[in-house]
Amino acid sequence: MQVYTAPKLNKVEVTSDFWKRYRELVVKEVLPYQWKVMNDEADISIAEDPQNNGQDKNSHAVANLKIAAGEMKGHHYGFPFQDTDVYKWLEAAAYSFGYHPNPDLKKITDNLIDLIAKAQDDDGYLSTYFQIDAPERKFKRLQQSHELYTMGHYIEAGVAYYNATGNQKALDIATRMADCIDNNFGLEESKIPGYDGHPEIELALSRLYEVTKNQKYMDLAHYFLTQRGQDPAFFEKQIKADGDSVDRDLIPGMRDFPREYYLAAEPIKDQKVPHGHAVRVVYLCTGMAYVARYTGDKDLLAACDRFWNDIVKRQMYITGNIGQTTTGEAFTYDYDLPNDTDYGETCASVGMSFFARQMLNIRAKGEYADVLEKELFNGALSGMSLDGKHFFYVNPLEADPAGSKGNPGKSHVLTHRADWFGCACCPANLARLIASVDEYLYTVNEDTILSHQFIANEAEFDDGIKVSQTNHFPWSGDIHYEIENPNKASFKFGIRIPSWSAKYELSVDGAAKSLPVEDGFIYLDVDGKSMTLDLKLDMSTKIMRASNRVKADYGKVAVQRGPVVYAAEEADNEAPLWDYQVAADAKTDYHFDEKLLDGVGVVKIAAKREKLDDVNAPLYTEVQNEDTENVDLTLVPYYSWANRQDGQMRVWLNKE
């Protein structure tokens, strides 16, 4: 395996109107709102969150840190991993400084770093639940405790904050945490031969290694990955030693899931397909890809490939959402993709973005970038409202307020975004992805710069190389590049041709040029002082079908234009939405409406609608020729649904 170096990319400024709006929203609305929530200062309702498990009062996340630091008295409130809400928020704030310096916010974050340092134990340990209420149980119930997961999220935040601000204390907290973990875990005598029930620390240690170059941290990440599943009964043994009664459980019901749920039933190298909790899976995969790239571990890379292929080719929704069932927020089985009970956790789409990015660092393969794009414009972005103050944890592809209210099996599906959640992992996770999206646009390996995302930007590389990309994406497929190369460095420039673009047109310095597509990319040799490129992608509206192995989508079609998947909403169309039928060759019309939903492309598609039966009609009747009328069905981007009135939504439409 070729081992690639870290990207030699110095700076990227996002100039895309689409993404600038979201990134400014993070600064002006999302971060202030979330800070108020975590300080219990916001007027929020968590009670409607069906997944709250009783955690429906306040966040208390900052208060927990203050209690651990000795600045307040009281008990811990929330889940054992409540600290991570603060850490992901801090990481998002760190990224925001790169494009929107904010002295007032920096005072808050610097003070937060001081608080976290004060809360940290002398040996580097930091997980406030155990420090406040159960110090004797540290590292003793790893299946449920999320201790390494929690510290991993701080390590990620500390690295990001150090990179953004140069704050040495932020990095020192992270290295002390990692040293504490290294002192407690391993195969040496007196150490714990285990790992966390929720993967995360593996990718966090990889990021710490990148900034410190301390091999100890990469070795520790590698240990956690290769040790997982070596003793399938490890968690059960810990539970027995810690006290076997259920009232000792840290999170009720967690012990009831099978070993596969924790990806701990067998060593990773022997696991054929991903099972269990979707976020655990993709965080693990991200860590595997990181460590495989830096160590050359072929078993880990082979596992990445196996897991990727199963997720993307057999268990991923057209929107990029993953994790089909509310039971354990988990994967189920191949081609099981129900739309109206889909879980599709926002964090899982964010995690899939992480995984795709790391796979791109290993191989120049357009498929990875296609999935990253799918998540950015659909599955992940759906998790936040246009005002930045309401959120989806669950992202279905079909929703009906009556079903969510009346059917307990669909109660996890909200048809409007919530203020906050008892388990609030998603809001800050999405915020940190949006705030760092500039880091997802290019991959550099050896002498090749890959431009794989069409998000307008100004980028600066080594050797004085500058790349400017302008466009009106995702609404237009006209992509313009200007490359400056003052030192006449010799390099290759790769541009992804998306799988959704059946054809493309390219001109180089004004002259048409045809290039072969190699694994999803076209490549140009650059050695002159400048180059101008114009790429035209196929943005025609496409009517899509699923594999006929997918029972839930049999006899249905979906609409996609460019990377954007569309949905029908009751706000635009008379309910019920299941009465509409669309032909496979239906006529479509596209227009951009700058006043709708902060500016979106709208698709109108010719459809037929059955006349709705009278409420007094028999429940079952003999089949007859049904009365239908010709109508236009209006579709908006999936990510933008539920920003207006409460109502029905469907991505997959009945085929005529």
Side-chain angles (χ1 to χ4, degrees):
M1 180 184 78
Q2 185 177 4
V3 178
Y4 294 126
T5 57
K8 303 168 188 173
L9 177 58
N10 298 324
K11 184 181 179 184
V12 176
E13 179 187 353
V14 172
T15 57
S16 157
D17 289 341
F18 184 94
W19 285 100
K20 276 177 70 177
R21 194 198 80 79
Y22 273 103
R23 281 156 66 81
E24 287 300 319
L25 189 70
V26 166
V27 173
K28 295 174 181 176
E29 301 291 347
V30 178
L31 292 174
Y33 173 76
Q34 293 186 4
W35 181 245
K36 285 183 179 179
V37 171
M38 293 186 302
N39 281 275
D40 303 329
E41 296 171 354
D43 181 18
I44 58 171
S45 171
I46 306 178
E48 68 178 4
D49 169 20
Q51 301 296 100
N52 68 50
N53 294 312
Q55 310 290 342
D56 58 1
K57 295 176 183 176
N58 272 311
S59 165
H60 213 62
V62 174
N64 289 334
L65 285 165
K66 289 180 178 178
I67 295 168
E71 294 185 1
M72 284 177 60
K73 292 189 180 298
H75 286 282
H76 182 278
Y77 179 82
F79 289 98
F81 50 82
Q82 204 84 348
D83 302 353
T84 63
D85 296 349
V86 180
Y87 301 155
K88 283 182 279 190
W89 178 90
L90 176 63
E91 187 180 349
Y95 296 134
S96 78
F97 294 144
Y99 64 88
H100 190 125
N102 186 333
D104 291 337
L105 179 60
K106 190 169 181 298
K107 285 180 185 176
I108 292 172
T109 53
D110 281 346
N111 289 335
L112 179 58
I113 292 293
D114 291 341
L115 174 63
I116 294 169
K118 195 174 177 183
Q120 187 173 31
D121 284 349
D122 291 341
D123 66 353
Y125 182 93
L126 179 50
S127 182
T128 62
Y129 169 76
F130 294 93
Q131 291 169 291
I132 296 168
D133 286 343
E136 76 286 355
R137 299 182 71 188
K138 292 176 181 177
F139 297 140
K140 292 190 175 170
R141 194 168 285 231
L142 290 159
Q143 182 204 60
Q144 305 165 16
S145 71
H146 290 74
E147 288 161 277
L148 305 184
Y149 168 86
T150 297
M151 286 192 270
H153 270 303
Y154 176 79
I155 290 170
E156 286 200 86
V159 167
Y161 201 77
Y162 171 76
N163 286 338
T165 68
N167 186 309
Q168 186 64 45
K169 184 184 286 188
L171 186 61
D172 289 345
I173 296 168
T175 55
R176 291 178 65 218
M177 274 185 188
D179 292 343
C180 171
I181 295 167
D182 187 57
N183 289 334
N184 281 278
F185 288 84
L187 299 179
E188 299 92 335
E189 192 174 347
S190 80
K191 288 189 177 183
I192 303 166
Y195 38 84
D196 201 284
H198 196 311
E200 207 286 339
I201 189 62
E202 302 85 355
L203 72 94
L205 288 168
S206 300
R207 294 189 63 188
L208 187 61
Y209 164 76
E210 285 182 328
V211 73
T212 65
K213 305 304 180 190
N214 189 331
Q215 186 63 37
K216 174 173 68 173
Y217 302 138
M218 180 52 57
D219 292 344
L220 185 57
H222 190 259
Y223 155 79
F224 281 127
L225 292 169
T226 54
Q227 182 64 12
R228 182 171 288 274
Q230 294 291 348
D231 177 4
F234 170 74
F235 289 143
E236 290 96 318
K237 290 175 182 176
Q238 270 211 321
I239 289 172
K240 186 175 181 180
D242 184 48
D244 206 18
S245 63
V246 294
D247 60 3
R248 296 277 290 170
D249 282 342
L250 300 168
I251 302 176
M254 288 297 292
R255 71 162 70 191
D256 299 330
F257 291 115
R259 293 168 180 172
E260 288 84 0
Y261 176 84
Y262 302 98
L263 298 115
E266 57 187 343
I268 288 172
K269 66 181 179 62
D270 299 325
Q271 294 182 29
K272 299 295 186 284
V273 295
H275 290 291
H277 184 259
V279 179
R280 282 173 167 82
V281 168
V282 289
Y283 278 15
L284 181 76
C285 288
T286 303
M288 289 195 301
Y290 248 131
V291 173
R293 174 159 62 100
Y294 283 117
T295 66
D297 188 317
K298 294 180 180 178
D299 286 339
L300 290 180
L301 181 59
C304 286
D305 290 337
R306 289 195 305 274
F307 283 26
W308 176 276
N309 287 332
D310 190 71
I311 293 170
V312 172
K313 296 176 180 175
R314 292 178 281 278
Q315 295 203 74
M316 176 179 280
Y317 287 88
I318 192 171
T319 54
N321 297 112
I322 55 173
Q324 301 99 311
T325 176
T326 182
T327 304
E329 307 173 331
F331 288 105
T332 55
Y333 59 93
D334 289 352
Y335 304 110
D336 176 44
L337 294 164
N339 296 302
D340 60 344
T341 58
D342 168 29
Y343 202 74
E345 184 180 342
T346 299
C347 277
S349 286
V350 171
M352 197 67 199
S353 303
F354 299 160
F355 185 21
R357 179 189 180 197
Q358 291 309 317
M359 292 304 284
L360 276 165
N361 282 334
I362 294 173
R363 300 191 193 102
K365 195 172 180 181
E367 179 182 332
Y368 304 140
D370 285 346
V371 169
L372 173 55
E373 179 182 70
K374 185 185 289 287
E375 300 295 2
L376 289 176
F377 286 98
N378 302 284
L381 203 56
S382 171
M384 187 170 74
S385 66
L386 296 175
D387 69 5
K389 297 178 182 178
H390 300 86
F391 307 93
F392 274 148
Y393 196 112
V394 173
N395 295 274
L397 274 72
E398 180 180 323
D400 182 357
S404 296
K405 183 179 180 180
N407 184 341
K410 297 179 181 179
S411 64
H412 61 287
V413 175
L414 297 181
T415 52
H416 59 280
R417 292 173 181 81
D419 294 351
W420 201 248
F421 305 101
C423 173
C425 50
C426 297
N429 217 1
L430 182 54
R432 68 175 178 147
L433 176 65
I434 293 170
S436 63
V437 77
D438 54 295
E439 299 183 6
Y440 289 74
L441 310 187
Y442 294 94
T443 302
V444 183
N445 58 69
E446 304 282 317
D447 64 346
T448 303
I449 296 173
L450 297 177
S451 173
H452 49 74
Q453 299 301 317
F454 303 111
I455 295 174
N457 68 87
E458 304 276 348
E460 298 177 8
F461 299 80
D462 287 352
D463 296 321
I465 299 166
K466 294 183 180 179
V467 177
S468 171
Q469 182 193 146
T470 54
N471 58 51
H472 187 47
F473 197 78
W475 317 121
S476 167
D478 295 333
I479 315 295
H480 178 73
Y481 290 95
E482 291 185 7
I483 300 174
E484 295 179 30
N485 184 26
N487 298 323
K488 293 187 176 181
S490 182
F491 64 94
K492 288 184 180 295
F493 190 69
I495 304 175
R496 176 175 59 104
I497 304 301
S499 58
W500 49 258
S501 184
K503 55 186 183 293
Y504 77 93
E505 297 175 13
L506 176 71
S507 65
V508 180
D509 293 328
K513 194 174 184 77
S514 180
L515 295 169
V517 179
E518 304 172 35
D519 246 348
F521 286 89
I522 56 173
Y523 292 92
L524 299 105
D525 293 312
V526 181
D527 52 22
K529 279 194 169 184
S530 65
M531 180 181 284
T532 300
L533 307 172
D534 284 286
L535 176 68
K536 192 175 186 66
L537 298 172
D538 175 14
M539 295 292 286
S540 58
T541 301
K542 295 177 173 61
I543 298 177
M544 311 290 291
R545 76 167 180 91
S547 164
N548 56 20
R549 295 175 184 268
V550 180
K551 178 175 66 174
D553 298 333
Y554 189 81
K556 291 178 167 43
V557 295
V559 175
Q560 182 172 337
R561 183 180 182 275
V564 178
V565 176
Y566 279 76
E569 272 198 284
E570 191 175 339
D572 303 303
N573 307 283
E574 186 178 337
L577 297 181
W578 56 80
D579 272 353
Y580 293 82
Q581 298 175 0
V582 173
D585 59 353
K587 182 181 177 182
T588 63
D589 177 71
Y590 170 83
H591 72 278
F592 182 75
D593 188 338
E594 64 180 13
K595 295 181 180 179
L596 181 66
L597 297 165
D598 289 328
V600 292
V602 178
V603 171
K604 287 188 180 291
I605 187 167
K608 289 186 176 179
R609 183 175 63 197
E610 285 189 12
K611 181 181 178 183
L612 193 63
D613 289 338
D614 186 272
V615 292
N616 295 315
L619 188 56
Y620 305 102
T621 57
E622 184 180 353
V623 172
Q624 300 173 348
N625 289 328
E626 305 296 341
D627 289 337
T628 61
E629 60 177 328
N630 294 323
V631 295
D632 282 334
L633 191 61
T634 299
L635 308 175
V636 296
Y638 170 76
Y639 75 80
S640 69
W641 85 277
N643 275 284
R644 295 173 288 174
Q645 69 189 52
D646 195 18
Q648 295 175 9
M649 181 277 295
R650 284 171 75 95
V651 169
W652 289 98
L653 310 167
N654 293 327
K655 186 168 76 171
E656 186 183 330

